[in-house]
Amino acid sequence: MRYSEMFLPTIREIPSDAEVVSHQLMLRAGMIRKLTAGIYTYLPLGYRVIRKVEQIIREEMNRAGAQEIFMPAVQPAELWQESGRWEHYGKELLRFRDRHDRECCLGPTHEEVVTELVRNEIKTYRQLPRNLYQIQTKFRDEIRPRFGVMRCREFGMKDAYSFDVDQEGADISYKKMYDAYHAIFRRCGLRFRAVEADTGSIGGNFSHEFMVMADTGEDAVVFCNRCDYAANLEKAEIARPEKLAVDEKTFLPLTEVHTPNVRTIEEVCAFLGVTPQAVVKTLIFSADGKPVAVLIRGDEEVNEIKVKNLLKCNELEMAMDDMIMAAARAPRGFVGAVGIKAKVLADYSLLNMVNCVMGANKEDYHVKNVNIGRDFKVDVFADLRVARESDPCPRCQGELRFARGIEVGHVFKLGTKYSEAMKAVYLDKSGQEQTMIMGCYGIGVGRTVAASIEQNNDENGIIWPVPIAPFHVIITPVNINEPRLAEVAGKLYESLADKGVDVLFDDRDERAGVKFNDADLIGIPLRVTVGPKRLAEGKVEVKIRKTGEVKALSLDEAEAFIAGFIREAL
RNA sequence: CGGGGCGUAGCGCAGCUUGGUAGCGCGCUUGCUUUGGGAGCAAGAUGUCGCAGGUUCAAAUCCUGCCGCCCCGACCA
């Protein structure tokens, strides 16, 4: 490709509305332009990178035995009503009506469509297992799009769906994808980690997220400093502390204290002269409309996902005032566990608390010296809090550490959530009808590209890993108006292009400095500089973008070096 | 949806308080010079001042409504 003919508008200044470095560089390098909130056009340079990533994905998916299909973006509401997600998916699902007033949506994911396809076409165990995937545009009407293509509304995604006869087969399908994802992200040159994760609105029993490690990542990742346990913060388990023997003789008498207008943990501590570790926080949640009290030590935070998963409910939210009054007979701020009319869940942080402080279920009063068992009962003790740095690892004696990550892929064991709701069944060997076991597997293509930039850049611009670089080499004659330089550079360009090297020929009538800066900005791994000084010795310079290393080589040596460099990096 | 901010040339911004000729830098066009890390000189083009109302002799500027975008929060594959 000749630079002079390429639609490649680079920007010198940092765009003011771009927060993260990948967004800034994608704009500056002429990869993307915004059409409207969370919706982007990929320009030639950006789209070349997208296609490279897609190609790597295709190769690894095919290698893992998956087959590529292409499903519609527009989907009928009936399918979503069948799976139950028409109700549950919420506002992220973009819904509309066609001219016949039929309800439709733009696919944010394709479990319904693929399950509809498979249930119609697959009838027997002989046709299983199957893994079908596509690379396609998804639409999710994000509440707040941000960070460029990192969290946008319309984006390219590879989504795969596996169908198996039993759990054992499904586990194998899952493992194949888990391994394929490692291969894909490794080939994309990313530093990443697979972590255990919550299944969210996709549903299912088990999942891993593939996290690219980056300080600007939106997700908090927890990992053990001793074993290989790693999880998303919202999923991160905490080891159950040992329950110490309690001597009931140490229990002090339950005492009511007048605490007018003292509501928050901080106010209670200040008023009574105690630490948050001595106070029990009582939160009332509405779980599918029923009140549930969650108790936790005053200095800890409740992890609502853990509560939701423990209760196995569909909707969990903080209770409204009327529900709190009904359960506690006291307003927010004075709620406690003694005499509460609700199911009582307690975090493990309460296991060894004695003589603690909590709301009295009476306005403007708290109680002191509350003790579990004597004063109230706990229905279930569980791990319900948000993990913190240095918490005990759930798998070994190690401690948890925190990092930030960007979720570029997610693999799920779905079980029968969709196959049961939508009756995707097959006949087994004995002619019995069985429900298929499903898995689903996603990769955000644009997000993978952005994540790569987050990890691979410097003050001058992007530094592409070779496998996903839009071009491997850029040839820069320092002055295109010097016939000798133009000729040598042009011949080298033709020769490399003939050999199948992705080469960009910067034949623009620009000053050398402009070209060097653009080459650095768009991040091409190798730059060949053709200038008068070296050419007098019959040589050109090859500069490695990543290391800054410069080699003076003859034309033949340069071609050999380039070929070797690319081969090694791929 | 709550809080905050912004909207003036392709990009980045000033002008608005105190109403009166729309400006600066970069980019763009032309010419000459220059040519190894974002050149110099000269000449030039480019605006529904986000949109719609209102006040006024007069609105980028004041008032009202709307739209769009960004940030924080809530929410979330």
Side-chain angles (χ1 to χ4, degrees):
Chain A
M1 187 79 216
R2 288 173 179 269
Y3 202 131
S4 63
E5 293 168 3
M6 188 161 173
F7 179 47
L8 176 43
T10 57
I11 300 170
R12 284 188 189 188
E13 301 98 16
I14 297 172
S16 62
D17 55 355
E19 282 291 296
V20 297
V21 70
S22 60
H23 187 196
Q24 293 169 357
L25 288 173
M26 288 179 89
L27 288 168
R28 289 189 57 209
M31 293 178 65
I32 56 168
R33 290 293 182 264
K34 184 171 71 178
L35 178 63
T36 183
I39 299 185
Y40 289 83
T41 297
Y42 280 89
L43 277 45
L45 192 82
Y47 195 51
R48 287 182 75 100
V49 180
I50 292 286
R51 290 206 322 261
K52 294 244 174 158
V53 172
E54 289 179 349
Q55 189 51 33
I56 291 172
I57 291 172
R58 282 198 175 90
E59 288 170 15
E60 296 300 332
M61 290 301 293
N62 294 346
R63 198 196 306 278
Q67 295 175 58
E68 187 166 11
I69 60 173
F70 193 69
M71 291 183 271
V74 173
Q75 307 181 5
E78 290 78 32
L79 281 182
W80 288 72
Q81 285 156 355
E82 245 189 281
S83 72
R85 286 206 291 186
W86 190 255
E87 297 294 320
H88 288 295
Y89 210 95
K91 289 191 187 155
E92 235 177 82
L93 183 64
L94 183 66
R95 301 157 207 248
F96 56 95
R97 287 167 191 273
D98 69 10
R99 66 196 302 161
H100 303 296
D101 217 29
R102 286 191 284 249
E103 287 190 293
C104 305
C105 63
L106 275 185
T109 173
H110 281 65
E111 282 80 9
E112 282 78 3
V113 175
V114 77
T115 305
E116 144 77 14
L117 175 72
V118 166
R119 71 176 171 186
N120 290 338
E121 308 301 330
I122 293 188
K123 305 290 182 196
T124 150
Y125 72 95
R126 292 172 197 273
Q127 294 167 295
L128 294 171
R130 277 289 125 88
N131 184 326
L132 302 173
Y133 77 97
Q134 65 171 349
I135 298 175
Q136 199 235 20
T137 300
K138 297 287 185 283
F139 194 94
R140 295 182 186 178
D141 201 357
E142 288 284 343
I143 234 167
R144 184 149 84 87
R146 60 186 127 177
F147 305 147
V149 299
M150 200 94 87
R151 178 167 294 278
C152 53
R153 297 195 295 166
E154 183 175 318
F155 58 99
M157 178 173 172
K158 188 285 302 179
D159 46 322
Y161 306 89
S162 65
F163 298 83
D164 278 275
V165 294
D166 55 20
Q167 191 56 52
E168 193 185 1
D171 289 345
I172 293 169
S173 294
Y174 184 88
K175 182 66 165 44
K176 277 187 185 165
M177 287 295 104
Y178 183 87
D179 291 342
Y181 275 36
H182 277 271
I184 289 165
F185 296 123
R186 198 179 305 122
R187 284 182 63 187
C188 288
L190 295 165
R191 294 186 304 284
F192 66 97
R193 191 149 187 177
V195 308
E196 293 179 18
D198 187 68
T199 53
S201 65
I202 299 285
N205 338 346
F206 190 74
S207 83
H208 281 96
E209 289 170 337
F210 285 76
M211 292 286 189
V212 170
M213 308 320 293
D215 292 339
T216 50
E218 285 192 90
D219 291 282
V221 180
V222 163
F223 59 95
C224 176
N225 65 350
R226 296 213 0 213
C227 71
D228 60 4
Y229 178 75
N232 190 307
L233 175 62
E234 62 186 30
K235 174 83 176 175
E237 300 162 31
I238 303 155
R240 179 189 174 121
E242 202 180 331
K243 172 96 173 86
L244 305 174
V246 181
D247 182 358
E248 300 211 352
K249 288 180 196 134
T250 63
F251 286 1
L252 300 173
L254 189 65
T255 315
E256 198 170 85
V257 197
H258 188 217
T259 53
N261 216 24
V262 173
R263 292 165 190 273
T264 66
I265 296 292
E266 294 74 43
E267 287 165 2
V268 170
C269 290
F271 190 88
L272 296 175
V274 296
T275 63
Q277 284 84 351
V279 181
V280 172
K281 217 175 350 186
T282 308
L283 301 173
I284 307 295
F285 285 89
S286 166
D288 292 337
K290 292 194 202 101
V292 173
V294 176
L295 310 183
I296 193 163
R297 206 171 68 192
D299 59 328
E300 301 287 3
E301 291 297 323
V302 169
N303 181 332
E304 290 189 29
I305 288 170
K306 289 181 178 177
V307 176
K308 193 173 170 183
N309 289 340
L310 178 71
L311 293 169
K312 296 186 169 47
C313 61
N314 286 321
E315 303 284 342
L316 184 79
E317 54 194 7
M318 296 298 290
M320 296 290 137
D321 288 337
D322 53 345
M323 183 182 277
I324 295 174
M325 282 305 292
R329 302 176 312 279
R332 210 179 284 268
F334 303 100
V335 176
V338 182
I340 191 92
K341 282 189 264 175
K343 184 169 185 173
V344 176
L345 310 182
D347 178 67
Y348 288 147
S349 56
L350 259 68
L351 266 181
N352 294 312
M353 285 178 77
V354 291
N355 299 325
C356 38
V357 173
M358 64 168 60
N361 288 339
K362 181 172 167 188
E363 185 156 10
D364 288 340
Y365 284 88
H366 280 74
V367 278
K368 290 203 309 196
N369 305 327
V370 178
N371 285 291
I372 301 164
R374 183 189 71 180
D375 303 316
F376 69 94
K377 267 201 260 180
V378 171
D379 293 305
V380 185
F381 270 103
D383 167 22
L384 297 175
R385 68 180 172 89
V386 178
R388 299 204 292 195
E389 190 115 26
S390 301
D391 272 335
C393 173
R395 304 287 152 82
C396 75
Q397 300 304 305
E399 288 186 356
L400 299 181
R401 296 283 178 264
F402 279 35
R404 305 292 303 179
I406 300 164
E407 181 192 354
V408 291
H410 203 157
V411 293
F412 297 82
K413 290 185 184 179
L414 288 176
T416 55
K417 170 168 173 166
Y418 298 92
S419 47
E420 201 169 292
M422 297 179 64
K423 300 189 183 58
V425 296
Y426 66 95
L427 294 183
D428 67 13
K429 280 183 184 173
S430 56
Q432 296 295 304
E433 195 169 85
Q434 302 286 351
T435 303
M436 297 181 198
I437 312 290
M438 290 175 61
C440 75
Y441 317 93
I443 291 178
V445 179
R447 196 184 272 187
T448 300
V449 172
S452 179
I453 296 172
E454 288 291 328
Q455 279 190 344
N456 301 291
N457 69 82
D458 64 14
E459 65 281 6
N460 296 318
I462 302 168
I463 305 172
W464 290 114
V466 174
I468 64 171
F471 296 96
H472 298 134
V473 185
I474 182 166
I475 299 176
T476 310
V478 297
N479 181 358
I480 197 70
N481 297 315
E482 247 355 291
R484 178 79 185 125
L485 300 183
E487 187 195 330
V488 171
K491 279 191 178 154
L492 180 61
Y493 164 62
E494 301 286 348
S495 174
L496 288 171
D498 282 349
K499 293 193 175 84
V501 175
D502 284 329
V503 53
L504 181 61
F505 178 26
D506 194 348
D507 59 340
R508 293 176 300 167
D509 183 10
E510 288 285 354
R511 299 173 67 82
V514 173
K515 298 193 196 187
F516 293 155
N517 282 308
D518 275 336
D520 287 348
L521 175 61
I522 66 177
I524 310 304
L526 294 174
R527 187 185 82 207
V528 181
T529 308
V530 182
K533 284 182 265 178
R534 296 291 185 189
L535 202 56
E537 312 159 18
K539 291 187 173 175
V540 295
E541 278 173 17
V542 180
K543 183 169 185 180
I544 300 170
R545 174 71 178 88
K546 191 182 174 86
T547 60
E549 192 185 349
V550 178
K551 294 171 181 297
L553 301 170
S554 72
L555 285 167
D556 287 345
E557 288 169 342
E559 285 204 37
F561 174 80
I562 289 164
F565 185 90
I566 294 168
R567 197 178 326 113
E568 202 173 308
L570 292 178

